[in-house]
């Protein structure tokens, strides 16, 4: 499982990341999204798509 941290102070709900991780914006108020189905490359694409650098990947099961 990978935890994607969302800095809700930075996020402007532009929707760019939704193209890679549908449903992510619904998790903004909580400040994180647990990702189990997407590969790390998809998650990196979502992070790179954020113009505000609001996304950070926190791997919880990687060596
Ligand atoms: S791309 Fe960044 S600013 Fe836009 S909705 Fe996603 S987290 Fe928020």
């Amino acid at each position: 499982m990978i935890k994607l941290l969302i800095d809700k102070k930075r996020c402007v709900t532009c929707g760019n990341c939704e193209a890679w991780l549908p449903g992510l914006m619904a998790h903004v108020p909580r400040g994180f999204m647990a990702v189990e189905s997407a590969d790390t490359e998809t998650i990196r694409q979502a992070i790179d798509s954020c113009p505000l650098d609001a996304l950070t990947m926190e791997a919880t099961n990687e060596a």
Side-chain angles (χ1 to χ4, degrees):
M1 194 267 284
I2 292 173
K3 193 171 180 181
L4 190 62
L5 304 178
I6 310 161
D7 186 338
K8 54 187 175 187
K9 290 181 184 163
R10 288 185 179 216
C11 177
V12 293
T13 60
C14 69
N16 283 7
C17 57
E18 287 267 326
W20 300 100
L21 294 172
L24 189 151
M25 284 201 304
H27 292 77
V28 172
R30 191 184 303 162
F32 73 92
M33 177 182 183
V35 186
E36 298 190 34
S37 56
D39 60 45
T40 53
E41 185 56 33
T42 299
I43 294 169
R44 287 200 177 93
Q45 295 280 11
I47 291 170
D48 289 347
S49 77
C50 180
L52 281 301
D53 291 333
L55 300 173
T56 310
M57 179 164 50
E58 182 181 283
T60 58
N61 62 352
E62 285 186 355

